[in-house]
Amino acid sequence: MVHQPRPGGPQRSVAHGIARNAVLWERVRDLLGSADEGSGPRQVVDLGGGTGGLAVRAAELGHHVTVIDPNPDALASMHRRADENNVADRVVGVQGDTIDLGDHVAPGSVDVMLCHGVLEVVDDPGQALEAIGDALRSDGVLSVVVAGRYAAVLGRALAGHLAAARTLLEAPTGDAQARSPRRYTRGEILDLLATHGFTAESVHGLRVFADLVPSSVVDTEPGAQTALVELERAVAQIPELTAVAGQLMVVSRRRN
Ligand SMILES: C[S@@+](CC[C@H](N)C(=O)[O-])C[C@H]1O[C@@H](n2cnc3c(N)ncnc32)[C@H](O)[C@@H]1O
């Protein structure tokens, strides 16, 4: 069985998809903890949460989750997913975006903000981070996941698209000429967060190898899915390798 491929992207099997996302989910689970433990249910906002894959898992841990996304179709899928997983009472969907975040979330009310795959596509990432900073409690936590620029350069070069690799290598973050979603180096995302009042507490590289390994290996080699997840886990905090990770996950807090 395969996922619907991204336009122009490779087809990946379900087993491969699970391996690609395993470390991300482990990190989010560690960040949130279970509502049964210690701090109880937390107020979580998944900004640009799309179809709710992460939001539903967060709600399954017992937390209250608000998904804010401009796409009504994605929100409809999110509601279906929440129903199917019996967490509809803990998940709210709101049609909105980074610009009007303050209309939907009271200032200083959010314990954990997830902003995954969003700073690549918003008009103004700095504005988004300022709005997130206003929404978070003073001890609140922000989890940002962004696409890694050097991984995309590597991917294009390995596919033989050498001129495209060179263009991407030299494209500054947010270059409208690039006509593709923004991608960040480790330094660029850390600088952006620092400029808008966040102190990074951890950086994890996600999909360091998972986007380079074909699904045929994951599906046919005995134990390959487990081995891939273990490898991803092992390299996620090695700076030399996270520099070429498909995604970078940065957990940070507001500077008070
Ligand atoms: C690549 S998807 C990421 C979805 C999900 N967060 C994930 O990690 O799988 C980007 C999401 O950002 C949403 N989005 C686009 N522009 C946005 C904006 N200005 N503010 C908030 N979300 C936005 C899209 O509708 C989409 O659901």
Side-chain angles (χ1 to χ4, degrees), residues 46-51 54 68-71 74 96-99 115-118 121-123:
D46 193 355
L47 181 59
T51 57
L54 212 49
I68 299 179
D69 199 289
N71 183 337
D97 62 29
T98 52
I99 301 285
C115 181
H116 293 183
V118 175
V121 296
V122 295
D123 289 340

Side-chain angles (χ1 to χ4, degrees), residues 74-199:
L75 289 173
S77 299
M78 185 281 289
H79 284 300
R80 273 196 299 279
R81 194 193 289 258
D83 276 338
E84 286 162 12
N85 290 278
N86 302 313
V87 291
D89 57 335
R90 287 198 294 281
V91 182
V92 174
V94 176
Q95 193 175 354
D97 62 29
T98 52
I99 301 285
D100 60 13
L101 182 60
D103 295 344
H104 308 298
V105 177
S109 66
V110 177
D111 295 311
V112 181
M113 181 78 71
L114 306 173
C115 181
H116 293 183
V118 175
L119 294 182
E120 296 92 323
V121 296
V122 295
D123 289 340
D124 183 347
Q127 176 280 327
L129 289 174
E130 295 289 334
I132 289 169
D134 291 343
L136 277 173
R137 288 164 53 118
S138 57
D139 59 348
V141 176
L142 167 63
S143 170
V144 160
V145 172
V146 290
R149 183 138 67 89
Y150 292 146
V153 172
L154 194 61
R156 279 163 180 67
L158 290 174
H161 304 304
L162 302 179
R166 178 77 189 270
T167 302
L168 199 54
L169 180 68
E170 290 166 2
T173 296
D175 184 354
Q177 300 304 315
R179 280 186 291 151
S180 62
R182 250 177 240 109
R183 295 182 176 84
Y184 295 86
T185 66
R186 181 188 173 100
E188 285 166 347
I189 187 61
L190 291 176
D191 283 352
L192 182 68
L193 286 162
T195 300
H196 295 282
F198 289 92
T199 302

